[in-house]
Amino acid sequence: MKQLFDSGIELVVESDFIYFPLLFDPDIKKEIQTVFYSRKDVGNPDASDSKAVIKLKGKYFVKGFRLDSLVNNYEAINPNSYQRLKNECLRHYHLTREIDGVLLDGTLRTILFQVMPHFIKKSKDLNRKTLSDEAILDLIGKKTNIPESYYQEARTFSDIAPLKKILKNIENQTPVLDLPGSGMMSGHKLRDWLRNAVHVKVLSDEYDRITKSLKMREQFSRMKPEHIATLLYIADTGFLEIDGFGFIRKNAYRNEYYVYKRSGDYILKDYYGRSYLFPNCRVTVSTYMPFRPFVMEKYKHPFLLKYKSGQEICIKNFNPPDEPTDKCIINTLEEGLTALQYGYDPRKRNGYHSLDKLWIHIPTIDFEDYII
Amino acid sequence: MGIDHMDLLKHIKNNRTKQRSKKPLRHDAFNRISSIVKQYGLKQSFLDLFHTVEDQPTIKKVNISRVRMKTPLEIPLFSLVGEEEYHLTMSIIDKVDNPYLIFAHSPEEILSCKLLYRLNPELSPETLMRYHFESLILHEHAKQNRIKQSGNEKNG
């Protein structure tokens, strides 16, 4: 189908049907001559047989399929192309899951507006004042380099008139699918028509979502365009890091995130008072079970069992929370950071490994390379 | 009466067995020529070449001693073409109108078809299927030259 429309060949639309150029071999030629020159068919132009093949501008065209059936079944006919057109349409009206998700998703709102203010430096002075949502978005906008395209998108996003119009059309049950007029037309023109028709179908199918999205946008229409741009940027990238605090979207469908805080370089001492410089790492907690702190990158530490990435930090008497509330996320991250930076007791040599080499024949992680 | 009846039965049975046996599907001229037209993107102007094409291969061509093999050609079982290509195919078939055409593999061979048939109309299908028409024409010319030379020697 795609090849046909892309080829630019002349096609014919007649009585809502698409007609394709007739291909020939000697038998078909003979048959066509019989159909077009016998008195029976010439005298009866409405006969179904005569409509199976039509002649226009000296060329023969054979009946294909109904155009509306093509649109209605396009998802099954060409799933990849349908998905592409659907995404294109949803992106055009900012109805993609990510954008809806970021504005409606409670987890992300918790991370952005409750957890993040705890970890980032708001001002140079020492007093910790609570920040409003708007002030946080301002701060993110100031500390993050948001591309100009997101500001343009934000202006389109806040314009809710086109969505309202589509919704009204669907509600009034006006014929949303305009079939092209009869006559000869190029494959390219039909391809453009099909694209628009699929867009209309997608919007009709997504009625519930448009209603929901419209309500949400009405709420957000009072927001500053810069703030919407910041949220769109976060929705698109699924990633943000400010002052060593950040989050990464793990699974867009389930709205799961990895929330992390960088430890920075820190020093631990061994039994003999020698210093070991530990490199920066990201202490992370997932918003999906289990809510235990772990180190994202390949890392070694007395409280980590092996030298690899994604290891849980061994913390004594730590009870993981049941849900990822703001307090739980903050608490888990702080527990993890404290354990890494201050939890090791050189006298007790607690944890899985000792910093100084024990002369007992047990294979363990070696920290000699961290000695300063 | 009984014997006649048995003969008739045998006759019917033999006929049915013959009908049931598989017959190889042979490519007809339309299938082959339309495939060449499509594959090489031939246009109506190709027909003009029939007037300008040389009846004799050039000296340069005669000097080529190697045997040219056929160019590979993919032929569908049932070829369907657009209207223009159909008319061109039918015009080529009408213009050439000889049994060697169904062995052509390229536009070049279509053009050489008439000359080859004129030089030797009794070439076997195996030969036509295997060798390029140009090689066969050169072979026929060489054969004729040899006959001429031996005739001259006898006369001399």
Side-chain angles (χ1 to χ4, degrees):
Chain A
M1 184 67 62
K2 193 178 173 296
Q3 281 174 334
L4 201 69
F5 285 165
D6 287 346
S7 66
I9 57 165
E10 291 284 307
L11 302 165
V12 170
V13 174
E14 180 74 39
S15 320
D16 303 345
F17 271 86
I18 186 163
Y19 284 75
F20 298 99
L22 182 66
L23 295 176
F24 286 88
D25 71 0
D27 293 337
I28 294 173
K29 184 74 183 174
K30 224 180 279 170
E31 219 171 293
I32 287 300
Q33 278 170 345
T34 324
V35 169
F36 275 83
Y37 296 111
S38 69
R39 297 296 310 158
K40 184 183 81 181
D41 287 304
V42 171
N44 183 10
D46 291 331
S48 60
D49 273 358
S50 64
K51 280 282 182 185
V53 177
I54 56 168
K55 195 176 179 184
L56 205 71
K57 292 181 185 171
K59 287 177 180 171
Y60 293 98
F61 294 88
V62 65
K63 198 177 194 174
F65 42 78
R66 281 185 72 92
L67 280 168
D68 53 356
S69 75
L70 171 66
V71 176
N72 292 333
N73 299 298
Y74 197 61
E75 191 175 359
I77 296 167
N78 195 340
N80 290 341
S81 172
Y82 179 81
Q83 200 52 46
R84 197 173 47 76
L85 288 173
K86 186 179 173 180
N87 291 344
E88 186 185 284
C89 171
L90 296 179
R91 214 176 303 129
H92 180 74
Y93 291 104
H94 297 282
L95 290 167
T96 51
R97 179 177 291 281
E98 291 82 7
I99 289 166
D100 283 353
V102 76
L103 302 174
L104 296 172
D105 174 30
T107 314
L108 187 63
R109 292 184 72 84
T110 306
I111 298 168
L112 268 182
F113 301 120
Q114 262 99 50
V115 181
M116 197 164 76
H118 182 86
F119 289 102
I120 58 175
K121 288 171 193 162
K122 280 137 295 198
S123 58
K124 281 177 185 171
D125 52 38
L126 287 172
N127 34 330
R128 279 195 168 185
K129 51 183 178 184
T130 46
L131 291 176
S132 66
D133 291 1
E134 285 192 341
I136 291 165
L137 288 172
D138 275 334
L139 197 71
I140 296 171
K142 214 186 288 173
K143 295 202 174 191
T144 318
N145 189 17
I146 297 169
E148 181 54 36
S149 60
Y150 288 98
Y151 291 98
Q152 284 168 8
E153 267 190 59
R155 281 189 282 277
T156 327
F157 185 82
S158 43
D159 180 18
I160 52 175
L163 265 191
K164 268 188 175 172
K165 197 183 162 192
I166 294 162
L167 207 65
K168 207 175 168 187
N169 277 347
I170 298 169
E171 278 166 1
N172 294 343
Q173 289 184 325
T174 46
V176 280
L177 186 67
D178 292 326
L179 291 166
S182 297
M184 208 180 254
M185 58 182 68
S186 69
H188 291 150
K189 208 172 165 188
L190 266 172
R191 186 187 57 195
D192 293 343
W193 172 84
L194 178 68
R195 182 174 160 271
N196 291 334
V198 171
H199 279 194
V200 170
K201 187 184 176 290
V202 167
L203 292 173
S204 311
D205 292 349
E206 301 275 325
Y207 176 80
D208 290 341
R209 218 160 116 197
I210 296 171
T211 322
K212 209 169 156 187
S213 187
L214 195 67
K215 269 185 197 164
M216 180 199 69
R217 280 190 213 183
E218 274 167 345
Q219 284 173 21
F220 279 85
S221 61
R222 287 184 290 274
M223 277 175 85
K224 283 185 193 170
E226 306 91 80
H227 293 168
I228 298 176
T230 308
L231 287 172
L232 289 176
Y233 172 74
I234 294 168
D236 209 19
T237 56
F239 164 81
L240 188 73
E241 183 175 323
I242 293 171
D243 296 341
F245 172 84
F247 59 85
I248 300 169
R249 187 163 47 225
K250 179 187 167 194
N251 187 331
Y253 184 70
R254 288 201 301 220
N255 285 327
E256 291 170 34
Y257 293 87
Y258 284 140
V259 188
Y260 64 83
K261 174 80 179 115
R262 289 190 184 274
S263 67
D265 295 348
Y266 57 94
I267 290 171
L268 296 181
K269 286 190 185 288
D270 69 1
Y271 184 84
Y272 304 103
R274 286 178 299 187
S275 298
Y276 294 72
L277 179 66
F278 280 80
N280 179 25
C281 71
R282 284 176 291 177
V283 174
T284 313
V285 63
S286 167
T287 58
Y288 191 71
M289 298 283 273
F291 307 118
R292 283 178 171 279
F294 65 93
V295 179
M296 207 182 277
E297 41 279 286
K298 189 180 176 188
Y299 204 68
K300 58 180 179 179
H301 189 279
F303 292 171
L304 301 176
L305 187 60
K306 292 174 182 172
Y307 184 27
K308 61 172 191 174
S309 59
Q311 294 186 86
E312 269 184 28
I313 301 166
C314 170
I315 304 172
K316 206 177 176 186
N317 301 328
F318 176 74
N319 294 318
D322 298 328
E323 333 171 51
T325 58
D326 54 335
K327 278 183 187 158
C328 292
I329 295 173
I330 293 168
N331 189 41
T332 310
L333 286 179
E334 286 188 334
E335 285 273 354
L337 284 164
T338 313
L340 288 188
Q341 292 168 336
Y342 312 106
Y344 182 70
D345 184 345
R347 293 254 157 224
K348 290 181 187 168
R349 292 187 177 109
N350 55 339
Y352 297 115
H353 319 285
S354 161
L355 280 182
D356 50 293
K357 255 187 188 169
L358 290 174
W359 297 105
I360 307 165
H361 190 68
I362 302 168
T364 181
I365 303 280
D366 185 17
F367 296 97
E368 294 268 305
D369 49 333
Y370 287 174
I371 294 179
I372 49 172
Chain B
M1 190 68 184
I3 295 162
D4 284 348
H5 178 70
M6 285 301 286
D7 283 348
L8 182 65
L9 267 179
K10 264 188 186 174
H11 178 72
I12 291 168
K13 274 184 183 174
N14 282 342
N15 269 355
R16 283 185 181 163
T17 327
K18 271 181 196 169
Q19 277 169 5
R20 248 182 273 138
S21 64
K22 285 179 185 172
K23 288 172 192 166
L25 183 75
R26 292 186 195 284
H27 293 296
D28 60 0
F30 178 81
N31 256 10
R32 185 170 290 266
I33 303 304
S34 61
S35 304
I36 296 173
V37 167
K38 261 202 292 192
Q39 208 160 311
Y40 288 87
L42 301 184
K43 301 277 171 229
Q44 204 67 24
S45 54
F46 177 74
L47 292 174
D48 301 339
L49 292 175
F50 281 101
H51 304 296
T52 54
V53 76
E54 299 159 74
D55 273 2
Q56 300 269 332
T58 57
I59 302 293
K60 197 180 158 195
K61 281 177 188 167
V62 173
N63 285 340
I64 298 167
S65 55
R66 69 185 172 86
V67 176
R68 267 184 83 175
M69 301 313 282
K70 294 265 192 193
T71 344
L73 177 73
E74 272 180 39
I75 307 166
L77 285 178
F78 306 100
S79 179
L80 287 172
V81 286
E83 204 168 358
E84 273 177 30
E85 287 167 333
Y86 173 80
H87 288 305
L88 177 60
T89 306
M90 295 314 281
S91 307
I92 292 170
I93 293 169
D94 288 345
K95 253 196 166 43
V96 177
D97 190 28
N98 77 50
Y100 289 178
L101 188 62
I102 55 165
F103 299 101
H105 266 231
S106 64
E108 206 183 344
E109 281 192 303
I110 294 175
L111 292 171
S112 326
C113 207
K114 257 182 159 176
L115 175 61
L116 181 64
Y117 188 67
R118 208 164 57 222
L119 290 171
N120 186 357
E122 283 161 6
L123 287 171
S124 67
E126 288 75 24
T127 313
L128 291 163
M129 259 191 286
R130 193 164 175 194
Y131 300 107
H132 196 279
F133 286 3
E134 191 188 87
S135 298
L136 293 174
I137 290 171
L138 292 174
H139 178 69
E140 291 303 324
H141 272 292
K143 243 174 31 182
Q144 281 178 357
N145 285 343
R146 230 180 298 135
I147 293 165
K148 265 185 204 171
Q149 274 177 2
S150 60
N152 286 343
E153 277 167 16
K154 272 180 194 171
N155 290 337

